[in-house]
Amino acid sequence: MIIDVHTHINNYHEDRVVSLDDSLNKLTDTMAENNVDYSLVLSSYKVNEHRPSTKSVVEAISNRDNLGVVAGVSYLNYDYKDLRELSEFLDAGLIKGLKFYPGYEPFYPNDIRFKVMYDMAIEFDVPVMFHSGDTYAPNGKIKFSHPIHIDDLAVDYPDLKIVICHVGNPWIKDCMEVVYKNENVHADISGLVLGDFNEKFERYMKKEIEEMITYAGDPKYLLYGTDWPISNMKSYLKFMDQLDLADDKKELIMWKNAADLFKIDISKLKK
């Protein structure tokens, strides 16, 4: 079983408009090629012709049992209509969590403006995911996306289930401490490379992830994710295969932790 908790259907090249169905088909075809059973699609904090709305994605995957949605939320632009829509989606079980983008937008995770979102996530018992670490765009402000800021949020909201995306790379050791210290914090390993791992970087990142697990203990907090299409699924699976971990630990990372955290009904997944 493989669950990828971090994929997108945004068109990052933006040289032409790609339909939502075409993007979803490309995702599911890539999943099939790599024996990935289920993926979470994270919508963007902004909506345009290259970045579909959460509502559009929810509607488009309604007949796809191997996909779920995590709703992207804009710090700068959300309003009461977004709150109403998100609460309706959560109440109907149509989204699996909320995603926030510090670094791409100028806010720290414990900003009071998002208290209503965190309260809603606690009420519906869904995780909140945070972009963390380096930004894909050079105009991002990485002081906002340092994983150390998640600690404040984790302490102030002990019932909030939190996911630090990209293990805070390049601040993996800081992420390691936040995860170790706070039982309500998880991390995904997505987006560590653009495209494929090369051999040298693969060795470097293998050591980093193994050290994180040595320090923070059994990887019940770690989630498999790729950041597809930014990162290559096949290359990611090869990287995971090379981690020096017992099979039961890998199984936690590859799907068990995700199925539990995001309440994914694996009985619906077809092998």
Side-chain angles (χ1 to χ4, degrees):
M1 180 76 67
I2 301 172
I3 294 176
D4 188 334
V5 302
H6 199 129
T7 71
H8 297 280
I9 49 173
N10 302 330
N11 177 26
Y12 293 104
H13 300 292
E14 301 187 351
D15 51 350
R16 65 185 180 90
V17 177
V18 180
S19 76
L20 179 50
D21 277 340
D22 283 349
S23 296
L24 287 170
N25 288 337
K26 186 175 180 182
L27 170 59
T28 53
D29 287 348
T30 308
M31 289 167 60
E33 290 166 9
N34 292 280
N35 298 313
V36 175
D37 298 272
Y38 186 95
S39 290
L40 289 173
V41 176
L42 280 51
S43 62
S44 179
Y45 63 99
K46 56 185 177 181
V47 178
N48 55 39
E49 61 183 352
H50 299 290
R51 296 168 184 255
S53 68
T54 297
K55 182 180 180 181
S56 297
V57 181
V58 166
E59 291 171 350
I61 73 152
S62 61
N63 62 344
R64 300 177 188 249
D65 287 339
N66 61 345
L67 295 178
V69 181
V70 173
V73 180
S74 171
Y75 170 80
L76 294 174
N77 299 308
Y78 87 83
D79 58 23
Y80 76 94
K81 289 178 287 188
D82 296 310
L83 283 172
R84 184 176 62 194
E85 181 178 84
L86 289 171
S87 65
E88 289 172 356
F89 286 156
L90 286 166
D91 195 34
L94 295 174
I95 57 177
K96 294 289 189 182
L98 306 176
K99 169 75 185 290
F100 307 100
Y101 291 83
Y104 291 102
E105 291 190 303
F107 71 95
Y108 293 108
N110 66 337
D111 194 301
I112 193 67
R113 177 165 162 74
F114 269 152
K115 182 180 187 300
V116 63
M117 293 286 182
Y118 304 151
D119 288 342
M120 190 160 58
I122 292 169
E123 178 183 351
F124 289 100
D125 193 29
V126 298
V128 293
M129 303 178 75
F130 289 88
H131 171 80
S132 186
D134 187 30
T135 55
Y136 182 66
N139 58 349
K141 296 181 178 179
I142 58 175
K143 70 177 182 180
F144 296 107
S145 56
H146 196 295
I148 200 72
H149 301 302
I150 297 294
D151 181 60
D152 281 14
L153 186 69
V155 171
D156 293 344
Y157 295 84
D159 296 323
L160 185 64
K161 297 175 178 177
I162 301 168
V163 178
I164 302 175
C165 297
H166 320 305
V167 288
N169 185 41
W171 300 293
I172 295 176
K173 281 188 170 56
D174 299 87
C175 176
M176 181 194 307
E177 168 58 18
V178 177
V179 165
Y180 171 71
K181 174 180 174 287
N182 300 287
E183 289 188 2
N184 56 330
V185 181
H186 297 70
D188 79 31
I189 62 167
S190 68
L192 299 179
V193 292
L194 299 178
D196 296 338
F197 284 90
N198 63 46
E199 187 177 344
K200 186 175 181 180
F201 188 72
E202 190 173 57
R203 285 198 308 271
Y204 166 78
M205 197 52 69
K206 175 180 183 293
K207 181 172 178 287
E208 292 284 307
I209 299 299
E210 287 173 355
E211 283 184 357
M212 180 176 186
I213 293 169
T214 299
Y215 180 86
D218 274 3
K220 295 179 179 178
Y221 51 85
L222 204 56
L223 307 162
Y224 176 73
T226 58
D227 214 10
W228 184 93
I230 292 172
S231 302
N232 181 284
M233 283 192 185
K234 184 176 181 179
S235 184
Y236 244 89
L237 288 168
K238 177 176 172 286
F239 167 71
M240 289 301 300
D241 192 51
Q242 294 184 22
L243 289 180
D244 186 17
L245 290 175
D247 288 345
D248 60 328
K249 308 302 184 197
K250 280 189 182 177
E251 201 172 25
L252 287 174
I253 299 169
M254 296 306 296
W255 72 274
K256 283 189 173 180
N257 293 338
D260 182 52
L261 183 64
F262 290 96
K263 299 177 184 173
I264 297 164
D265 185 357
I266 61 171
S267 68
K268 291 183 177 180
L269 305 182
K270 299 171 184 176
K271 292 300 291 180

